Each structure stands twice: as C-alpha cells, then as structure tokens.
C-alpha cells in the first residue's frame, strides 16, 4: 500500500491508477453490512476495487469527511445521484447500486487554492436497505451485493477479456481525452474482474450507462456489455477521425489556393498591373445584400474565383467584371408592395383614361383576387386596337394604381432573337436581352412591363425568331425560370405584370396569342372623344402652350366636335390632340402679337381662323329620291362610317355585272350572291326575268380611292339591286348592315357600336340588323341609342318587306322588254 500512497501523492486526483501486490479479490470482500454514512456523487460512478477521487464541494460532504477523519476505521457507502441538478438528494434520488468504500486520504487540489478532494478505496458493491437519518449527512443501513464471478478457466469469459484488452488499447489510441498512462496501468492488471471494473470506471461514458454496468451483478455480462460499448465508441472515433481528416484536407486545399492567389497578385503588381481589388470589393459588398438561391450563389462564387485568376490588364478581365457587375445589379427577389385599395385604383384609372371599361375591370379583378389570396402570378394581357386609343399610356396608369415600377420595351421592327434572350458571353460586346436590362433599370422584380407593338415583331429571320423567344417570357408555366443567354442563370419573371399592345392580331403567331389574355380596346366614338378632349387634352395642351393662366379660355363642345369630324380621321385621339395644340398655339401667337386673346371661346365659326379649311367631311344621309341607292354602314380603323351602295342599269346583251369602287374579294362575292338571290326571287319582286338578258347591272360604292371589303354590305347590295330593278323607293332615313347567304339568310356582323354612332351622326333614324346582333345592342350605353329604332331580321325577304316602299321614284327607268323581243322568243 505504500506504493499506492506514493502514487496518490504524485498524480492528479482525477486520474489515479493502482498496482496491487497479491490477491486483489480480498479487497472485494472487505465491505461489511451495517449502518454507515452515505456519500452522494454528482457525476461519478465507482466500481469495486477501484481507487476513487472525490471533490469536496457540498456542505454534507465536508461534514461526512470530518466525521470519517475522526473515525478512520468507519466504512461509508458511495452512490451516484440520478439527476445531477439536484443539490440535496435523498435516497430516492440515488442509483440502485453503489459501493462500500474505505477512506484513505484528503489532499488539496493542485492549482486550485482552498479546494480539496479525498481518495477512497471502493470495496464491495452494495445497496441501501433503510435510511437511518438525513442530517447532517445521509446515514443508512447498507447491505453488500456481491458480484457473480465466472468459474476459473471459463474460456468464453477469457476470450471476452482478451478481446476487451485489444479494444481498450485501440480506443485509447484513437482518443485524445484519455492519457496514455491509463493504457500502461491497465496493461499491468492481471485480475479479469478488477480489469473490467477499472475499464468501466475510467472510460468516459454517460452516467446512465455506467449505472447499468454497476447494476449488472454478473461480471461476465458486465464485460460483454462493456465490449459492445467500446465497439460502438471505436466506430464513433473512426467516424470523427474520418471527418477530421477530410476537413483538414479541405482546409489544406483552401490554404494552398489562398497562397497561390496571393502569389499571383504579387506577380501582377510586379508586372505593373493593378489587382482590381476596389471593383471586386464593391461587387462582393453588393452580393452580400442579395437574396438569391444557392445555385445563383454558387455560380457567383465560381465566377468571382475566375475573376481572381485573370490579369487586370487583360481584355477578359473587363468582360468578367462586367458580367459580375450585371449579376449584382439585378433585383433578385426584390419586390415592391402592391397597393390593393380597389377604390384608389379605380379612381386613378378613371382619372387618366376615359372609357376602356373592360381593361379597367380586368385590373380591378386582379387586385381583388390578389387581396384575397395574398400571392398570385401576374396576368399577361394583350391590349389590341387601333392606334392612338391609349393602350401604352394605360400601362402607366396601371403601374400607378398598383404602386409598381413601370418599364416599357418597344418591339416594333425587332428582328434579332438575342434582343430578347441576350447574347452568349463568347461574343464580343455581348449583353443581356431587353427583358433583363429593363428589370435592372426598374430595380424590382415585379414591375408593370409594357411590350409595345408586339404585332410588329419580325418573324423567322436569319437571326432567329424573336416571336418564338417571347413564348418563354409570356408563358406563366415557364417564365418563373427565364433563361437569359448572357446571364446563363434562371430568373423569375412570374411576378412581372406583362402588358402587350398590338394593332393587328393577324400578324401575331398563334402560339404567342394563346399565351396572352386578349382584351380589345376599341376606337373612341365622337361622344367619347369630346369628353376626352374636355377632361384631358385641353387642360394638358393649355399647360404646354403657356395658356394655363387663361382661366376663361375654352373650346366649346360644338367646336371640338367639328375638329373631330372635319379635321381628323382616326379611331384614337392622337391627331385630335395635335389639332387642339395647333389651335392653342395660334391663340398664343395672337396673344403675344396683340397683347390679348382675340376671343376666349373657340366656336365652330372661328375655328377655321385657327386651323384653316377642314380637309375632311362626313357623309350625311342623301334622301331616297333615286332608285338603287341604299345607305349601308361600315366599320373602319378610324370608327364607323356610312356608305352608299349605288346600282344603275344600262341596256346591253348578256346581263353583265360591273363592280367598281375599289372593292375587295369578299365584297365582290357579296355582290354576286345578292344578284343571284335577286334573280332567283324575281317573281316575288315582280321583275320580268328577261330583264337580266337585256340590261347590264353596274354596282358602285363611292370614294373609289378608299379600299373597301367585308361581308357586312350583303343586305345593302341586295336591297340596292331590288330597288334598281323595281324602281321602288327605299324607306327614308334608313340604313342597314348584315351578311347574306345564297339562301337569303342574314348573318350577324361586327363593329355595331361604331356603325350605330356613324348612323346617328348622319341623321339616320332606322337601322336594319340581323336578329343575332341584338346582344350587341344590349351592351351599348342607352345614351348612344336614343333617336334610333332597330329592326331585326332573319332573311333578305324581311329586309325587302321593310326597306322597299310601294312608291316608284320620279323619272323611273322603263325596264319593259320590247314586244319584238317577246315575239322572237315565243317563236324560238
């Protein structure tokens, strides 16, 4: 024991190992039953035969040590508490098994002043039978619980011990937390039971597992459990070493690359070049503020590393620098907050644009759904209609209503696919496409994006097909990952509100049309133009011409109407705005010349003084004095018009039909169909069928320089032929429009609103329409229909019944076939 005491004096109290001379088994038998003090340990489980170091920290422990020092032969029990957080544990808080121990020595902990510990020799496994008292420290009746030892020569136990020794050595070699001296001490222990207990005590394991090992009274099973635990811990140690080696390899590679880059920088400086560190630092600073995907971040880091390897004086350096600058300048995942106030949005849309109810309604629907859902893909709209009706400017109002940024790209004449998708970086002067550049300019990923004049994109050129490139942009299922050739990264366009504008849908490819929600923006009526001029154009042009201070200056409603009717020919208001500007410029000139305005109220009478003679005129109804003259209704790109169908007859053989007036193929076919129908129903009209053999028919539509086409003049031509061949008058103040078939059925036509307004302006009071056009009339505001009566028909016979009167025109043409011709035919 003197050797043991020397060791205790020299070594740290946390790691103490003993070498015993003689039979170690005698120690296991020294523990006796009886009443004895109970020492509770917080984080230590002792095993029989093992020297144990205990730090004196609790007051109860100090009292117990003082008692033991006064009674050196008194044995005591050591039990580990189950919960380390309990400060004053009772018997219920202790493990089931502990050890009976013998006090050896108290010593001061090295390096910690006034901190003490004591050494005890664990003797026998035990358990508490009864608590005797709890003050000043726990005192209980303790009963030894001897361990079952294997019989001498048990080969299974010896094999387990042999394998356990190997595993302990392997574990200590792989662990950094266990001193090498432990391996030497364990190597010198020959007693298997003592070896198992020493390993169980010194190997760092969770307290729960150590309590289970002590509770196992069979030493062979304890050794087997310990072997299993060591195998597990060795696997963990191998895994930690593998991770450490791999991490160390990565760190070594990074250090190597870092030093190489530093050397490259030094070489570049020696060569007289700058390293471009300031530009790169700015790019990295911007990159830290970006919210982008891991894939984008990886691509950015890869390109930055490539930039570090380039010489700042090389051309590739600037190309790479510009590319990285483009990436960090884009608004990745940056969105403005939409204003979802429906009343405010409607107020702004109505303030900026008159009419356009369908478009406004669609935008308000989008805002309403967005308010309910909280998140929604932006719609892709296409506003189509004639020029000058406000399609492009409407985009600004929508952006204002939603409080979004506004960008516009003109696609007119676009002939290169790269303008949309960008150029690959392999080309000199490569840059992103217009879509990405516009988003960079907007500074947000959800602007209102106007694709102006989408119908004028060139298709199938040697530079690709720009229209096909737009398919990806305008497809809600694809544009969440739009791929620009220059960026070579996916960019999310699903939150962008694309609004395309077009004049002619026929030039837009079908697949592209299919991806957009088509909304027609029809031309303005005269009444609508008057309101637009009064509310929007006149105040704006007064400001532009410096006449805003002239509060009394105004253009009266009849004068505005005269400008619309006699000075412009358009469906929009672009020319109207120019004419108003011209009139106000003239007034500004008069004011600066004479010192005052010649008049403050512009009327139709003094309008010519400002604008000159009117270049246009409107057709008006010309009466029903002539047979074969019928008023029709036509739709043009500048609104509705009335047109006159004139039929004249001249003597001649063969019944030749002549069509003049710059008519298109469809309108010519309508004339042929109308003539054939009249021939087939000559008896009903009271026409001698022989007239067609002796009279030539000439159909003319005035204003021959203006091309005319379409099927809507079918019933007008049929009525004109019937009137000319019967010399009957057409009902007064009547106009008509409708397509006919060879069977005489009347079909519906379009442009009804514009045609009706044109008829009203011309003084028409009755209009004949197809029965199926009734639904179009019901959609027109009531104020536009006042003073007009509609007559709905299903066949040409219904048209004739109403349109043709029984009254013969003055100076009617005599269409009687000569009698000699009759006799000749009878003899033949």
């Amino acid at each position: 024991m003197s050797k043991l005491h020397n060791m205790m004096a020299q070594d740290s109290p946390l790691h103490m190992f003993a070498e015993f001379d003689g039979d170690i088994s005698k120690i296991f038998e020294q523990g006796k039953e009886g009443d004895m003090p109970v020492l509770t340990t917080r984080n230590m489980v002792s095993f029989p035969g093992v020297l144990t170091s205990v730090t004196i920290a609790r007051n109860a422990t100090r009292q117990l040590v003082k008692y033991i020092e006064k009674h050196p032969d008194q044995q005591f029990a050591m039990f580990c508490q189950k919960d380390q957080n309990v400060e004053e544990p009772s018997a219920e808080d202790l493990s089931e098994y502990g050890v009976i121990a013998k006090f050896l020595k108290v010593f001061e902990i090295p390096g910690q002043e006034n901190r003490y510990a004591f050494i005890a020799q664990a003797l026998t496994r035990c358990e508490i039978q009864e608590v005797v008292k709890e003050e000043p420290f726990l005192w209980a009746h303790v009963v030894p619980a001897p361990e079952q030892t294997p019989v001498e020569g048990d080969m299974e136990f010896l094999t387990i011990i042999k394998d356990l020794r190997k595993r302990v050595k392997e574990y200590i070699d792989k662990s950094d937390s266990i001193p090498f001296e432990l391996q030497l001490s364990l190597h010198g222990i020959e007693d298997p039971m003592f070896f198992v207990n020493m390993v169980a005590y010194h190997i760092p394991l969770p307290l729960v597992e150590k309590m289970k090992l002590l509770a196992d009274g069979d030493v062979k099973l304890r050794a087997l459990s310990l072997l299993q635990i060591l195998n597990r811990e060795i696997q963990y140690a191998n895994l930690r070493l593998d991770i450490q080696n791999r991490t160390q390899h990565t760190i070594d590679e990074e250090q190597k690359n870092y030093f190489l880059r530093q050397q490259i920088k030094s070489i570049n400086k020696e060569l007289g070049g700058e390293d471009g560190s300031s530009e790169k630092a700015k790019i990295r600073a911007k990159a830290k503020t970006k919210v982008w995907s891991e894939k984008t971040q990886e691509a950015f880091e890869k390109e930055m590393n490539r930039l570090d390897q380039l010489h700042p004086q090389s051309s590739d350096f600037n190309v790479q620098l510009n590319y990285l600058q483009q990436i960090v300048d884009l608004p990745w995942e940056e969105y403005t907050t939409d204003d979802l106030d429906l009343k405010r949005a409607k107020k702004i849309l109505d303030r900026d644009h008159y009419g356009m109810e369908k478009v406004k309604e669609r935008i308000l629907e989008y805002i309403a759904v967005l308010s309910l859902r909280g998140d929604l893909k932006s719609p892709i709209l296409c506003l189509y209609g004639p020029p000058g009706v406000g399609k492009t400017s409407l985009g600004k109002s929508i952006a204002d209503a939603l409080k979004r940024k506004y960008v516009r790209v003109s696609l007119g004449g676009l002939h290169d696919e790269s303008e949309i998708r960008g150029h690959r970086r392999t080309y000199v002067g490569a840059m992103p496409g217009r879509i990405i550049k516009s988003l960079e300019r907007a500074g947000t990923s959800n602007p209102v994006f106007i694709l102006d004049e989408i119908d004028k994109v060139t298709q199938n050129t040697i530079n690709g097909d720009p229209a096909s490139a737009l398919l990806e942009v305008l497809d809600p299922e694809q544009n969440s990952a739009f791929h620009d050739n220059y960026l070579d990264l996916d960019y999310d366009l699903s939150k962008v509100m694309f609004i395309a504008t077009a004049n002619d849908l026929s030039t837009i490819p079908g697949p592209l049309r299919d991806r957009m929600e088509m909304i027609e923006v029809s031309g303005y009526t005269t009444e609508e133009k008057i309101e637009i001029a009064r509310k929007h154009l006149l105040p704006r042009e007064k400001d532009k011409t410096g006449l805003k201070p002239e509060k009394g200056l105004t253009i009266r409603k009849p004068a505005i109407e005269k400008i619309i009717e006699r000075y412009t020919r358009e469906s929009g208001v672009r020319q109207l705005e120019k004419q108003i500007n011209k009139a106000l410029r003239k007034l500004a000139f008069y004011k600066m010349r004479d010192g005052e305005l010649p008049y403050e109220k512009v009327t139709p009478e003094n309008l010519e003084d400002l604008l000159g003679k009117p270049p246009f005129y409107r057709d008006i109804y010309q009466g029903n004095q002539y047979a074969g003259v019928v008023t029709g209704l036509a739709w043009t790109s500048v609104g509705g018009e009335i047109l006159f169908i004139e039929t004249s007859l001249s003597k001649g053989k063969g019944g030749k039909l002549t069509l003049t007036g710059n008519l298109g193929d469809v309108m010519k076919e309508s004339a042929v169909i109308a003539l054939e129908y009249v021939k087939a129903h000559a008896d009903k009209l009271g026409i001698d069928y022989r007239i067609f053999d002796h009279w030539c028919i000439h159909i003319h539509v005035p204003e021959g320089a203006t091309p005319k086409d379409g099927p809507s003049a079918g019933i007008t031509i049929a009525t004109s032929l019937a009137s000319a061949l019967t010399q009957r008058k057409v009902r007064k103040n009547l106009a008509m429009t409708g397509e006919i078939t060879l069977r005489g059925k009347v079909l519906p036509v379009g442009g009804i609103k514009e045609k009706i307004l044109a008829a009203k302006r011309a003084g028409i009071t009755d209009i004949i329409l197809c029965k199926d056009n009734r639904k179009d009339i019901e959609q027109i505001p009531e104020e536009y229909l006042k003073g007009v009566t509609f007559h709905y028909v299903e066949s040409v016979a219904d048209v004739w019944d109403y349109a043709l009167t029984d009254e013969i025109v003055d100076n009617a043409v005599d269409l009687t076939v000569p009698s000699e011709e009759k006799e000749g035919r009878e003899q033949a």
Side-chain angles (χ1 to χ4, degrees):
M1 290 296 294
S2 61
K3 189 175 183 181
L4 173 63
H5 282 260
N6 291 334
M7 192 177 211
M8 287 188 297
Q10 296 172 1
D11 293 343
S12 167
L14 300 178
H15 301 289
M16 300 202 177
F17 320 111
E19 296 180 9
F20 291 94
D21 298 326
D23 189 2
I24 191 66
S25 62
K26 293 179 180 180
I27 295 178
F28 303 143
E29 300 173 358
Q30 293 180 9
K32 304 299 181 182
E33 178 181 355
D35 294 345
M36 62 185 68
V38 177
L39 175 67
T40 59
T41 60
R42 193 188 299 269
N43 54 6
M44 181 198 70
V45 177
S46 186
F47 289 82
V50 179
L51 280 176
T52 304
S53 171
V54 181
T55 302
I56 301 173
R58 294 172 176 166
N59 183 55
T61 305
R62 293 190 188 93
Q63 297 296 329
L64 187 148
V65 171
K66 289 180 181 180
Y67 176 83
I68 296 297
E69 285 182 323
K70 293 179 180 179
H71 304 83
D73 294 332
Q74 175 66 54
Q75 294 183 348
F76 64 96
M78 287 195 300
F79 284 83
C80 183
Q81 63 189 59
K82 299 175 185 177
D83 186 355
Q84 300 180 34
N85 297 320
V86 178
E87 288 297 327
E88 298 181 0
S90 61
E92 289 77 12
D93 298 321
L94 304 180
S95 60
E96 183 180 359
Y97 292 93
V99 293
I100 297 174
K102 181 180 179 180
F103 178 81
L104 296 180
K105 179 182 180 181
V106 175
F107 64 92
E108 186 176 3
I109 300 175
Q112 299 185 30
E113 189 175 354
N114 297 325
R115 292 289 304 277
Y116 294 89
F118 70 91
I119 305 243
Q121 173 73 61
L123 303 174
T124 308
R125 195 177 71 130
C126 67
E127 56 185 336
I128 296 175
Q129 192 174 63
E130 182 183 4
V131 176
V132 177
K133 63 177 181 178
E134 296 183 351
E135 296 295 338
F137 46 82
L138 190 62
W139 196 288
H141 184 79
V142 177
V143 179
E147 298 165 300
Q148 180 181 348
T149 58
V151 297
E152 189 174 353
D154 186 337
M155 294 305 297
E156 183 181 7
F157 178 65
L158 294 176
T159 303
I160 292 174
I161 295 299
K162 185 178 180 181
D163 198 13
L164 184 61
R165 290 181 184 274
K166 293 180 180 179
R167 294 302 182 194
V168 169
K169 182 179 183 304
E170 183 180 355
Y171 176 73
I172 294 175
D173 291 340
K174 294 180 180 296
S175 176
D176 297 330
S177 61
I178 300 177
F180 181 71
E181 290 83 356
L182 176 61
Q183 182 175 337
L184 296 177
S185 299
L186 293 176
H187 181 71
I189 299 175
E190 296 181 359
D191 185 275
M193 181 175 175
F194 185 48
F195 177 77
V196 171
N197 289 344
M198 283 287 286
V199 172
Y201 176 73
H202 285 288
I203 297 298
L205 299 174
L207 289 178
V208 176
E209 289 190 341
K210 287 195 174 187
M211 290 179 187
K212 289 181 180 179
L213 289 173
L214 182 60
D216 198 339
D218 189 333
V219 177
K220 183 196 288 189
L221 294 179
R222 184 184 298 167
L224 185 61
S225 298
L226 193 56
L227 183 61
Q228 292 174 346
I229 292 173
L230 280 175
N231 284 330
R232 181 196 70 195
E233 293 298 320
I234 289 172
Q235 290 180 2
Y236 288 162
N238 289 333
L239 183 59
R240 284 194 297 271
L241 286 173
D242 181 52
I243 293 174
Q244 184 177 357
N245 290 335
R246 282 187 291 170
T247 306
Q248 186 64 39
H249 175 73
T250 302
I251 293 174
D252 291 343
E253 286 293 324
E254 289 180 355
Q255 289 176 343
K256 176 183 174 182
N257 292 335
Y258 173 76
F259 288 125
L260 288 175
R261 285 195 294 269
Q262 292 300 318
Q263 290 178 2
I264 291 173
K265 289 181 180 179
S266 300
I267 294 172
N268 288 336
K269 282 190 175 181
E270 290 296 327
L271 293 174
E274 296 295 329
D275 60 357
S277 57
S278 60
E279 292 87 352
K280 288 186 284 189
K282 291 179 182 178
I283 291 175
R284 286 198 177 276
K286 279 188 178 181
K288 290 180 180 179
T289 65
K290 295 298 176 181
V291 180
W292 47 29
S293 64
E294 293 183 4
K295 185 178 179 181
T296 306
Q297 178 67 33
E298 291 175 3
F300 174 78
E301 292 296 338
K302 179 181 177 182
E303 298 297 334
M304 281 299 297
N305 291 335
R306 184 179 298 174
L307 180 67
D308 291 337
Q309 299 171 9
L310 295 174
H311 191 280
Q313 298 301 320
S314 69
S315 59
D316 290 341
F317 181 86
N318 288 327
V319 172
Q320 187 72 5
L321 189 69
N322 291 337
Y323 172 69
L324 289 166
Q325 187 68 52
Q326 182 66 60
I327 291 179
V328 297
D329 284 345
L330 285 174
W332 301 89
E333 301 295 329
E334 296 178 22
Y335 305 106
T336 55
T337 303
D338 290 335
D339 190 326
L340 305 180
D341 188 345
L342 280 174
K343 292 182 179 179
R344 175 184 173 277
K346 187 176 188 306
K347 182 179 179 181
I348 291 174
L349 294 174
D350 290 339
R351 177 198 69 192
D352 296 341
H353 291 82
Y354 184 84
M356 296 187 176
E357 299 303 327
K358 289 183 180 179
V359 188
K360 295 177 181 177
E361 184 179 353
R362 181 62 183 89
I363 299 303
L364 295 176
E365 289 172 355
Y366 168 72
I367 296 175
V369 175
L370 187 61
S371 301
L372 294 175
R373 285 199 52 179
D375 184 25
L376 184 66
K377 285 187 175 181
S378 294
I380 298 174
L381 310 178
C382 179
L383 311 181
Y384 69 95
V389 295
K391 300 184 295 296
T392 304
S393 61
L394 184 63
K396 290 184 179 180
S397 298
I398 294 172
D400 190 14
L402 291 171
K403 287 190 176 179
R404 289 193 182 188
K405 298 290 185 179
Y406 169 83
V407 289
R408 172 184 167 273
V409 170
S410 178
L411 301 178
L414 189 71
H415 63 278
D416 192 345
E417 179 184 340
S418 299
E419 292 288 326
I420 304 296
R421 285 186 174 154
H423 303 79
R424 299 190 184 278
R425 282 189 289 154
T426 53
Y427 298 105
V428 176
M431 63 180 65
R434 293 193 184 184
I435 304 298
I436 295 297
K437 291 295 289 183
S438 297
L439 291 177
E440 177 191 350
R441 189 168 66 251
T444 175
S445 291
N446 66 334
V448 174
F449 201 122
I450 302 298
L451 298 172
D452 211 7
E453 310 293 353
I454 196 171
D455 56 325
K456 297 173 180 62
V457 176
T458 307
Q459 302 175 37
N460 296 323
T461 68
I462 59 173
N463 297 316
D465 189 355
S468 297
L470 286 170
L471 294 178
E472 183 183 4
V473 177
L474 300 180
D475 192 338
E477 302 302 324
Q478 299 182 40
N479 65 6
S480 59
F482 172 68
H483 191 85
D484 185 273
N485 291 331
Y486 180 80
L487 282 185
D488 202 21
L489 296 169
D490 290 340
Y491 197 93
D492 186 3
L493 300 178
S494 60
K495 299 295 191 299
V496 179
M497 178 181 282
F498 286 105
I499 301 178
T501 68
N503 301 127
D504 185 5
L505 291 183
S506 63
T507 60
I508 303 177
L512 189 57
R513 276 202 313 271
D514 184 59
R515 282 163 170 78
M516 299 184 290
E517 182 178 343
M518 314 303 293
I519 301 179
E520 182 180 5
V521 183
S522 59
Y524 295 115
T525 63
T526 299
E527 289 76 6
E528 290 172 334
K529 290 181 181 180
I530 292 172
E531 293 301 319
I532 292 171
R534 292 174 59 191
K535 295 180 179 179
H536 301 281
L537 302 183
L538 183 57
R540 187 164 66 209
E541 296 308 315
K542 283 178 66 177
D543 186 34
K544 286 183 180 180
T545 54
L547 295 175
K548 189 175 181 179
E550 302 292 337
K551 302 296 183 181
L553 176 60
T554 184
I555 302 178
R556 292 193 178 276
K557 183 177 179 180
I560 296 176
E561 184 174 359
K562 184 175 181 180
I563 296 175
I564 296 169
E565 300 284 348
R566 305 291 300 276
Y567 289 89
T568 65
R569 273 292 185 270
E570 60 175 349
S571 54
V573 293
R574 194 168 286 150
Q575 296 300 322
L576 174 60
E577 182 179 11
K578 292 179 180 179
Q579 293 298 326
I580 292 175
N581 181 273
K582 180 179 179 180
L584 294 177
R585 288 200 316 267
K586 182 69 73 171
L587 288 173
F589 169 73
Y590 289 154
K591 179 180 179 181
M592 294 304 297
R593 186 189 65 181
D594 304 332
E596 61 179 1
L597 292 174
Y599 36 78
E600 290 188 340
K601 310 296 182 185
V602 179
T603 62
E605 290 72 24
N606 55 33
L607 190 61
E608 291 188 13
D609 178 47
L610 301 175
L611 299 180
K613 296 293 183 181
F616 306 110
Y617 69 94
R618 285 283 187 184
D619 288 326
I620 59 173
Y621 180 67
Q622 297 180 357
N624 63 343
Q625 291 81 17
Y626 301 97
V629 179
V630 182
T631 305
L633 299 175
W635 179 92
T636 69
S637 61
V638 297
E641 296 282 352
I642 67 169
L643 76 165
F644 302 103
I645 305 296
E646 301 175 350
T647 301
S648 66
L649 304 175
S650 60
K651 290 184 179 181
K653 293 189 177 291
K656 179 182 177 183
L657 174 63
T658 303
L659 301 172
T660 57
N662 202 353
L663 308 184
D665 292 338
V666 177
M667 197 167 184
K668 290 178 180 178
E669 291 172 357
S670 296
V672 172
I673 293 171
L675 179 58
E676 292 301 319
Y677 184 81
V678 170
K679 287 180 179 180
H681 297 79
D683 292 341
K684 182 178 180 180
L685 293 170
I687 300 173
D688 186 348
Y689 66 89
R690 292 172 297 179
I691 290 176
F692 300 107
D693 293 332
H694 297 276
W695 292 83
C696 294
I697 300 174
H698 186 169
I699 299 176
H700 176 68
V701 182
E703 297 186 20
T706 304
K708 308 168 191 70
D709 203 0
S712 62
I715 62 173
T716 312
I717 296 174
T719 305
S720 176
L721 288 168
S723 173
L725 292 169
T726 61
Q727 295 295 295
R728 293 161 62 183
K729 284 187 176 182
V730 177
R731 190 177 297 272
K732 194 174 182 180
N733 298 322
L734 174 68
M736 60 189 71
T737 181
E739 180 181 356
I740 64 170
T741 68
L742 202 56
R743 295 178 291 117
K745 183 176 177 60
V746 180
L747 302 180
V749 293
I752 297 300
K753 177 183 175 181
E754 290 79 4
K755 292 177 179 179
I756 290 172
L757 294 171
K760 282 189 65 177
R761 288 193 297 269
I764 301 296
T765 58
D766 293 272
I767 298 176
I768 296 178
L769 297 172
C770 173
K771 185 178 180 181
D772 293 335
N773 280 124
R774 186 189 295 268
K775 64 181 185 301
D776 301 304
I777 299 298
E778 293 172 351
Q779 296 178 359
I780 300 175
E782 187 66 32
E783 60 267 21
Y784 295 153
L785 305 179
K786 289 181 180 179
V788 179
T789 303
F790 299 96
H791 306 275
Y792 301 103
V793 297
E794 295 183 355
S795 65
V796 176
D798 297 336
V799 177
W800 288 343
D801 288 342
Y802 181 80
L804 295 177
T805 66
D806 294 332
E807 184 180 357
I808 304 298
V809 298
D810 297 335
N811 302 317
V813 178
D814 184 8
L815 300 177
T816 304
V817 178
S819 58
E820 61 270 14
E821 294 291 339
K822 290 183 182 180
E823 293 176 358
R825 283 188 176 276
E826 291 173 356
Q827 292 176 1

